[in-house]
Amino acid sequence: MSVLIFIDIAEGKIKKASFEAANYGAAIAQQLGTFASAIVLGKSEDLSTLGNYGISKVYNLLNESIHHFDAQVFTKLIADANETIGANVFVFSNTTTGKSVAPRLSVRLKAGLVSGAVALPDTSNGFVVKKSVFSGKAFAHIAINTDKKIIALNPNSFSVIKTEGVAEVVVLNLEIPAAKIAVQSVNKIIGDVPLSEADIVVSGGRGLKGPENWGIVTDLAKLLGAATACSRPVSDIHWRPHHEHVGQTGLAIAPNLYIAIGISGAIQHLAGVNRSKTIVVINKDPEAPFFKAADYGIVGDAFEVVPKMIEAIKKLKESV
Amino acid sequence: MKILICISKTPDTTSKIAFTDNNSKFSTDGVQWIINPYDEWYALVRAIEIKEADPSTVLHLVHVGGVESDPIIRKAFSLGGDQGFRINSDIADSFFVAGQIAQVAIEGNYDLIFTGKETIDYNGSSIGGMIAEFLDIPFISHAVKFDMANGNAIVVREIDGGEEIDSAPFPLVVSCQKGMAEQRIPNMKGIMGSKSKPLNVVEPVDISPLTSVVSFDLPPAKVGVKLVSAEHPEELIRLLNEEAKAI
C-alpha cells in the first residue's frame, strides 16, 4: 500500500511537471498513511533532491539503452519494477509522456485510470478523483474501483510545497525489452518555456491583424518569462505554428496568468484556457465575450496598450 | 494496408454543458452530436488520404454506442471509409471502450489503428494507448504527421516542448491531432454513397469497467472583470503584481 510516482526526465533533468506530480503523490501517500517513492527511467541529475518534494525512495534505472522513449518499453519496466516495489497508487503527470504510458499501464495492471486529475482524491468513501472534462468547462468526480489505481495529474493543478528531505536512491536492475519504436530525431521547437507547463502565457488573436505584428506578444512574453500561444483562426491561417493553438481543439492549459491580446473569446477558445488562475483580456471591442470570463481587462487598442504594459513591467522589475 | 479508425461521438463544441439526475449525468437536452473533431479532422481524413494515394488500402470504422450513433457513423462514411463496426453498447469507461475496440481489432487483423488524441468531452487521451496494450503493439501518441517508408511508419509526434520523429513497424496504434490533415466537408457523392456502406452491428464482449462517474460539477463563475483604463496600463500591471500576485 504505497504510492509510486513516475518522474519524467529530459536531457538529464527532471521536468517541472514531474516535481508537481511528486509532491501530489506524496500528499496522497500522507492521506493514505503510507509513503511515496518515485521511479526514474534513465540518467538524471541529483535524484535525492526529490526528498524535498516528499519522496522517500527513488528507484532509478540507469541503462544506456533507455535514453529514447517508447511507451511499450516504459510500461513493461514500470510494471516489472513494481513486482518488488509493491505500490498500488501510481501517479503520472498528464503530459505527452504520461498520456502514452498511463493508459498502457492501466490495461497491463488492470488498474483504473483517471487522467486529467486536478485535485487530491477524496478517500472518505472509496477513492474518487476530480478531473477536468468538456475541455475545462466542467469537472467530473470519478471513482476508481480497482485495488490498483492510476492518476495522471494535469500540469499546474497542484501547488508545490518544498520541504527538507533527502530521498534514498536505489538502482534498479531490470531486463530491458527491445524497443520497437526508433526515435530518429528530436526537435525542441517551442522555445524556452513549454506551453503546457508555463506559469504565464501571452496569447494573440486575429485582432493583431497579421503575423508581422506579433512582436508585442513575444516581447511581453519574453519579459515575463512566459510562453506564447494563439487562437485557432490564427493558427489556421498560419500566422503562428499550430502547436501554439490553445482552445477546445488545441491545447488546454491552466497557467497562473493568461494574457489574451486581440482574442474575442469564442466558447471554444475559453474551453481551453478557463482553468487559468488569472485571466487578463486586452481587446478594443467592449462587447468581446472574453471580458465575461476575465479577471482584469483593458478596452483599448493593443498596439498602444501592450507597449505601455511592457514599459510598466520594466519599471516594476527595476524597482524590485 | 488495412486501417481501423476509431470514431467517437461528442457534443458539438458550442453545446451548453449542464447536468441532470443530481449532477450524475450529462444533460443531452438540445445537444447536437458530432464526430469527435480529432477523430474526424485528423484520424479519418489522414486515413482517407492514405487510401487516395493507394486505392488498395482498406478503411474500417469502429464505434462503441447504441443505435442512436448510426447517423454519426454515416456522417463519417460520407467523408470516406469502406465499412463500419458499431459495438452495440453504452459506454462504461475508457478501459471498457478500448477493450471492445481491441476485440474488433484482433478479429480484423489491422496494420494500423488511428484514434484522435482525445475526445473533447471526457478528455481521457486513453483509448489509443489502452488498445495498443491490449494488442501488445507499439503506440505513438500526439501525431502531427504520418507517412510510410520501407514498410515502416514514419511519424512526427508532439512532445512537451517540441517534436520528435519516430519510425515504427506495423501493426501500430497512432493517436492523431492537428497537423495530420485538414478538415474536409463531405460532397454530395460521398453523402449519397454513405447510405449503402456496410455497417456491422457487433455485440460487446464481457469486460468490466474499472472506474465509474460519481458526479459532475461546473467551475465557479467569475466574480466579474475589473476594467482598467486604456490610458493607464501601468495600473493593470500594479494590480497583477499586488492584488493577483501573478507577476
mmCIF file of all heavy atoms in Angstrom, chain A residues 297-317:
data_model
loop_
_atom_site.group_PDB
_atom_site.id
_atom_site.type_symbol
_atom_site.label_atom_id
_atom_site.label_comp_id
_atom_site.label_asym_id
_atom_site.label_seq_id
_atom_site.Cartn_x
_atom_site.Cartn_y
_atom_site.Cartn_z
ATOM 1 N N GLY A 297 -9.279 43.495 -17.307
ATOM 2 C CA GLY A 297 -9.369 43.787 -18.721
ATOM 3 C C GLY A 297 -9.060 45.230 -19.027
ATOM 4 O O GLY A 297 -9.178 46.104 -18.164
ATOM 5 N N ILE A 298 -8.630 45.449 -20.266
ATOM 6 C CA ILE A 298 -8.490 46.818 -20.766
ATOM 7 C C ILE A 298 -9.197 46.859 -22.110
ATOM 8 O O ILE A 298 -8.910 46.041 -22.993
ATOM 9 C CB ILE A 298 -7.011 47.233 -20.944
ATOM 10 C CG1 ILE A 298 -6.326 47.361 -19.578
ATOM 11 C CG2 ILE A 298 -6.911 48.549 -21.720
ATOM 12 C CD1 ILE A 298 -4.887 47.834 -19.644
ATOM 13 N N VAL A 299 -10.156 47.788 -22.237
ATOM 14 C CA VAL A 299 -10.782 48.011 -23.531
ATOM 15 C C VAL A 299 -9.924 49.044 -24.245
ATOM 16 O O VAL A 299 -9.884 50.204 -23.837
ATOM 17 C CB VAL A 299 -12.234 48.522 -23.374
ATOM 18 C CG1 VAL A 299 -12.852 48.750 -24.751
ATOM 19 C CG2 VAL A 299 -13.064 47.521 -22.566
ATOM 20 N N GLY A 300 -9.209 48.594 -25.257
ATOM 21 C CA GLY A 300 -8.335 49.539 -25.944
ATOM 22 C C GLY A 300 -7.544 48.876 -27.051
ATOM 23 O O GLY A 300 -7.611 47.655 -27.243
ATOM 24 N N ASP A 301 -6.794 49.686 -27.760
ATOM 25 C CA ASP A 301 -6.002 49.230 -28.900
ATOM 26 C C ASP A 301 -4.720 48.557 -28.387
ATOM 27 O O ASP A 301 -3.895 49.195 -27.730
ATOM 28 C CB ASP A 301 -5.664 50.455 -29.764
ATOM 29 C CG ASP A 301 -4.904 50.063 -31.022
ATOM 30 O OD1 ASP A 301 -4.400 48.913 -31.081
ATOM 31 O OD2 ASP A 301 -4.824 50.898 -31.935
ATOM 32 N N ALA A 302 -4.593 47.285 -28.711
ATOM 33 C CA ALA A 302 -3.446 46.511 -28.220
ATOM 34 C C ALA A 302 -2.117 47.151 -28.594
ATOM 35 O O ALA A 302 -1.155 47.105 -27.830
ATOM 36 C CB ALA A 302 -3.504 45.087 -28.766
ATOM 37 N N PHE A 303 -2.080 47.782 -29.778
ATOM 38 C CA PHE A 303 -0.807 48.340 -30.246
ATOM 39 C C PHE A 303 -0.381 49.553 -29.417
ATOM 40 O O PHE A 303 0.771 49.959 -29.432
ATOM 41 C CB PHE A 303 -0.888 48.694 -31.735
ATOM 42 C CG PHE A 303 -1.150 47.471 -32.577
ATOM 43 C CD1 PHE A 303 -2.372 47.286 -33.204
ATOM 44 C CD2 PHE A 303 -0.176 46.487 -32.701
ATOM 45 C CE1 PHE A 303 -2.608 46.148 -33.945
ATOM 46 C CE2 PHE A 303 -0.406 45.346 -33.458
ATOM 47 C CZ PHE A 303 -1.634 45.163 -34.071
ATOM 48 N N GLU A 304 -1.347 50.140 -28.709
ATOM 49 C CA GLU A 304 -0.985 51.234 -27.798
ATOM 50 C C GLU A 304 -0.822 50.722 -26.362
ATOM 51 O O GLU A 304 0.066 51.141 -25.634
ATOM 52 C CB GLU A 304 -2.071 52.322 -27.827
ATOM 53 C CG GLU A 304 -2.036 53.122 -29.124
ATOM 54 C CD GLU A 304 -3.263 54.015 -29.271
ATOM 55 O OE1 GLU A 304 -3.915 54.324 -28.248
ATOM 56 O OE2 GLU A 304 -3.569 54.369 -30.426
ATOM 57 N N VAL A 305 -1.715 49.807 -25.976
ATOM 58 C CA VAL A 305 -1.758 49.346 -24.586
ATOM 59 C C VAL A 305 -0.562 48.455 -24.238
ATOM 60 O O VAL A 305 0.090 48.647 -23.199
ATOM 61 C CB VAL A 305 -3.092 48.603 -24.317
ATOM 62 C CG1 VAL A 305 -3.044 47.906 -22.960
ATOM 63 C CG2 VAL A 305 -4.270 49.572 -24.398
ATOM 64 N N VAL A 306 -0.272 47.482 -25.102
ATOM 65 C CA VAL A 306 0.753 46.494 -24.746
ATOM 66 C C VAL A 306 2.147 47.122 -24.579
ATOM 67 O O VAL A 306 2.838 46.819 -23.602
ATOM 68 C CB VAL A 306 0.750 45.307 -25.739
ATOM 69 C CG1 VAL A 306 1.852 44.311 -25.405
ATOM 70 C CG2 VAL A 306 -0.611 44.601 -25.713
ATOM 71 N N PRO A 307 2.572 48.027 -25.492
ATOM 72 C CA PRO A 307 3.884 48.653 -25.254
ATOM 73 C C PRO A 307 3.952 49.389 -23.912
ATOM 74 O O PRO A 307 4.981 49.360 -23.233
ATOM 75 C CB PRO A 307 4.020 49.641 -26.422
ATOM 76 C CG PRO A 307 3.189 49.034 -27.510
ATOM 77 C CD PRO A 307 2.021 48.408 -26.800
ATOM 78 N N LYS A 308 2.830 49.995 -23.493
ATOM 79 C CA LYS A 308 2.812 50.678 -22.188
ATOM 80 C C LYS A 308 2.901 49.664 -21.048
ATOM 81 O O LYS A 308 3.513 49.925 -20.013
ATOM 82 C CB LYS A 308 1.525 51.508 -22.037
ATOM 83 C CG LYS A 308 1.550 52.809 -22.853
ATOM 84 C CD LYS A 308 0.301 53.613 -22.557
ATOM 85 C CE LYS A 308 0.114 54.733 -23.577
ATOM 86 N NZ LYS A 308 -1.250 55.296 -23.536
ATOM 87 N N MET A 309 2.257 48.509 -21.240
ATOM 88 C CA MET A 309 2.377 47.448 -20.227
ATOM 89 C C MET A 309 3.831 47.002 -20.109
ATOM 90 O O MET A 309 4.352 46.790 -19.005
ATOM 91 C CB MET A 309 1.516 46.226 -20.618
ATOM 92 C CG MET A 309 0.023 46.417 -20.404
ATOM 93 S SD MET A 309 -0.947 45.063 -21.138
ATOM 94 C CE MET A 309 -0.437 43.663 -20.147
ATOM 95 N N ILE A 310 4.485 46.864 -21.264
ATOM 96 C CA ILE A 310 5.889 46.432 -21.271
ATOM 97 C C ILE A 310 6.752 47.429 -20.502
ATOM 98 O O ILE A 310 7.576 47.043 -19.661
ATOM 99 C CB ILE A 310 6.375 46.253 -22.732
ATOM 100 C CG1 ILE A 310 5.696 45.015 -23.343
ATOM 101 C CG2 ILE A 310 7.899 46.139 -22.801
ATOM 102 C CD1 ILE A 310 5.912 44.823 -24.827
ATOM 103 N N GLU A 311 6.516 48.724 -20.748
ATOM 104 C CA GLU A 311 7.263 49.761 -20.027
ATOM 105 C C GLU A 311 7.025 49.663 -18.520
ATOM 106 O O GLU A 311 7.954 49.745 -17.713
ATOM 107 C CB GLU A 311 6.847 51.162 -20.520
ATOM 108 C CG GLU A 311 7.439 51.532 -21.868
ATOM 109 C CD GLU A 311 8.923 51.203 -21.966
ATOM 110 O OE1 GLU A 311 9.690 51.670 -21.101
ATOM 111 O OE2 GLU A 311 9.314 50.450 -22.901
ATOM 112 N N ALA A 312 5.744 49.465 -18.141
ATOM 113 C CA ALA A 312 5.390 49.400 -16.719
ATOM 114 C C ALA A 312 6.044 48.193 -16.044
ATOM 115 O O ALA A 312 6.472 48.272 -14.894
ATOM 116 C CB ALA A 312 3.870 49.342 -16.566
ATOM 117 N N ILE A 313 6.121 47.062 -16.775
ATOM 118 C CA ILE A 313 6.745 45.863 -16.185
ATOM 119 C C ILE A 313 8.248 46.101 -16.006
ATOM 120 O O ILE A 313 8.838 45.713 -14.995
ATOM 121 C CB ILE A 313 6.478 44.621 -17.060
ATOM 122 C CG1 ILE A 313 4.984 44.291 -17.058
ATOM 123 C CG2 ILE A 313 7.258 43.408 -16.552
ATOM 124 C CD1 ILE A 313 4.551 43.330 -18.136
ATOM 125 N N LYS A 314 8.851 46.762 -17.002
ATOM 126 C CA LYS A 314 10.294 47.066 -16.892
ATOM 127 C C LYS A 314 10.563 47.912 -15.659
ATOM 128 O O LYS A 314 11.501 47.646 -14.901
ATOM 129 C CB LYS A 314 10.776 47.793 -18.152
ATOM 130 C CG LYS A 314 11.028 46.847 -19.318
ATOM 131 C CD LYS A 314 11.576 47.596 -20.524
ATOM 132 C CE LYS A 314 11.752 46.661 -21.701
ATOM 133 N NZ LYS A 314 11.823 47.398 -22.977
ATOM 134 N N LYS A 315 9.693 48.921 -15.441
ATOM 135 C CA LYS A 315 9.845 49.788 -14.275
ATOM 136 C C LYS A 315 9.697 48.998 -12.984
ATOM 137 O O LYS A 315 10.455 49.162 -12.039
ATOM 138 C CB LYS A 315 8.790 50.906 -14.303
ATOM 139 C CG LYS A 315 9.320 52.183 -14.932
ATOM 140 C CD LYS A 315 8.329 53.313 -14.735
ATOM 141 C CE LYS A 315 8.563 54.369 -15.811
ATOM 142 N NZ LYS A 315 7.357 55.098 -16.147
ATOM 143 N N LEU A 316 8.680 48.125 -12.980
ATOM 144 C CA LEU A 316 8.415 47.281 -11.806
ATOM 145 C C LEU A 316 9.636 46.425 -11.490
ATOM 146 O O LEU A 316 10.046 46.289 -10.339
ATOM 147 C CB LEU A 316 7.190 46.405 -12.091
ATOM 148 C CG LEU A 316 6.790 45.416 -10.998
ATOM 149 C CD1 LEU A 316 6.133 46.149 -9.833
ATOM 150 C CD2 LEU A 316 5.830 44.359 -11.534
ATOM 151 N N LYS A 317 10.236 45.868 -12.537
ATOM 152 C CA LYS A 317 11.396 44.990 -12.340
ATOM 153 C C LYS A 317 12.590 45.771 -11.805
ATOM 154 O O LYS A 317 13.368 45.250 -10.997
ATOM 155 C CB LYS A 317 11.761 44.301 -13.657
ATOM 156 C CG LYS A 317 10.708 43.288 -14.062
ATOM 157 C CD LYS A 317 11.256 42.216 -14.966
ATOM 158 C CE LYS A 317 10.309 41.033 -14.946
ATOM 159 N NZ LYS A 317 10.752 39.932 -15.762
#
